[in-house]
Amino acid sequence: MIIDSSQDGLPAVAGSAYRVPEPGAVEAEFTEGDGTLVQRRWVEAAAAVRFEQFQPVAAFPVVPGRRWGPGWWWSATTSGHVPHGSQAMCMQLMILDRDPQVVGLSARPVRLIWRDPGTGRVLTWVPQVFARYADGRALVADCPASTGPAGDRAARAAAVLGAACAAVGFTYRRLLAPDAVVAANVRWLAGYRHPRYRDAGGLEQAVLEAFAAPRALMAGAAAAGEVLSTLPVLYHALWSGRLTADLTRPLGGHTLVCPGPSDPAADGSEREQQAR
């Protein structure tokens, strides 16, 4: 589930009021594994560099007075920690981490550098998130805390990044916050994302069989065994997509839970086995 920028007037590529440089004139700066700072043409780096494997090219700032500071998200996708700089970004990492098609995640792995066609000034922007999909596609994204229109600098950067990403087959988006109910449900299920919950107590098969046909969450949990033991397995299955439910409504005992995709490769099971 990706909520993109189409609602805030910042489409990924075209339609911008801002002049953008040719993609070949955009540079990419990133830090290699040994700590060396490298700068290459964006079109070359995008084809050769696995940005999902890189550490941030710039640290997240600590702003005095804010209740939320930089932190780390343990990713079920990567079996490692991905840093984040805001609550909004953490939420988007949760959503991407839950997507079975996402196979790589990183934070601020690249800085884009270009000369503004209008003023001639050298400008830079560090997008917050990079995600790689199983089919090779890539998402470059920012995670604004507000749903309002972007400021001038962010809007200009969105236009440049949209064009630069489109030129190499990537997608740039400003990911808007999900509905409060969806966010609460994803946050709850994320607490059961670790692979240890998948077959806790050897109950995975019983839980999946209990929901071979759609039924209420609590009724199925009770049918699979002792509720306190089956619920973590059930929540993990909802997180991974092996079971499904309408997350636009609050999760509860009467939530209708349905079987997930019949193709086991489509629900992230292979990824989880690698994470064990």
Side-chain angles (χ1 to χ4, degrees):
M1 174 180 61
I2 292 180
I3 303 174
D4 65 30
S5 62
S6 60
Q7 300 177 31
D8 69 0
L10 291 173
V13 182
S16 171
Y18 300 104
R19 294 174 58 193
V20 300
E22 292 295 324
V26 178
E27 298 283 311
E29 188 177 62
F30 51 92
T31 304
E32 293 189 327
D34 61 0
T36 303
L37 194 64
V38 177
Q39 184 170 323
R40 295 176 62 178
R41 292 177 64 211
W42 163 250
V43 293
E44 297 173 354
V49 174
R50 306 298 293 185
F51 290 118
E52 66 270 28
Q53 299 175 357
F54 284 8
Q55 294 299 309
V57 71
F60 289 101
V62 177
V63 181
R66 284 190 180 174
R67 297 178 59 186
W68 185 279
W72 296 85
W73 171 256
W74 186 85
S75 167
T77 299
T78 66
S79 296
H81 286 91
V82 180
H84 58 78
S86 68
Q87 191 170 10
M89 181 180 175
C90 186
M91 185 73 247
Q92 298 298 343
L93 288 176
M94 290 186 202
I95 293 172
L96 289 167
D97 201 19
R98 187 171 177 261
D99 186 340
Q101 295 304 313
V102 172
V103 297
L105 275 175
S106 62
R108 306 191 86 183
V110 61
R111 175 184 287 108
L112 274 69
I113 306 169
W114 67 94
R115 190 175 296 277
D116 183 78
T119 65
R121 293 185 301 155
V122 174
L123 303 176
T124 69
W125 190 264
V126 183
Q128 292 175 295
V129 174
F130 183 90
R132 181 79 65 178
Y133 291 87
D135 61 4
R137 293 178 298 120
L139 171 71
V140 178
D142 284 304
C143 312
S146 171
T147 58
D152 184 71
R153 182 168 179 264
R156 289 178 182 276
V160 173
L161 268 65
C165 285
V168 297
F170 291 0
T171 299
Y172 173 76
R173 290 285 186 266
R174 285 169 51 83
L175 303 178
L176 303 185
D179 176 83
V181 173
V182 173
N185 287 336
V186 171
R187 192 176 295 111
W188 176 263
L189 295 178
Y192 298 90
R193 67 190 181 278
H194 196 281
R196 65 174 172 264
Y197 291 111
R198 175 169 182 163
D199 194 25
L203 293 168
E204 176 186 19
Q205 193 60 36
V207 168
L208 294 180
E209 288 177 356
F211 293 97
R215 69 192 303 179
L217 184 150
M218 195 58 70
E226 201 279 320
V227 170
L228 291 180
S229 298
T230 59
L231 279 177
V233 181
L234 167 56
Y235 289 140
H236 179 82
L238 285 170
W239 164 267
S240 65
R242 297 195 329 282
L243 296 175
T244 64
D246 182 3
L247 298 186
T248 65
R249 299 182 177 183
L251 277 176
H254 297 290
T255 296
L256 187 67
V257 176
C258 304
S262 57
D263 178 5
D267 67 8
S269 58
E270 292 182 352
R271 185 180 72 184
E272 290 187 359
Q273 291 171 5
Q274 296 172 358
R276 290 186 179 183

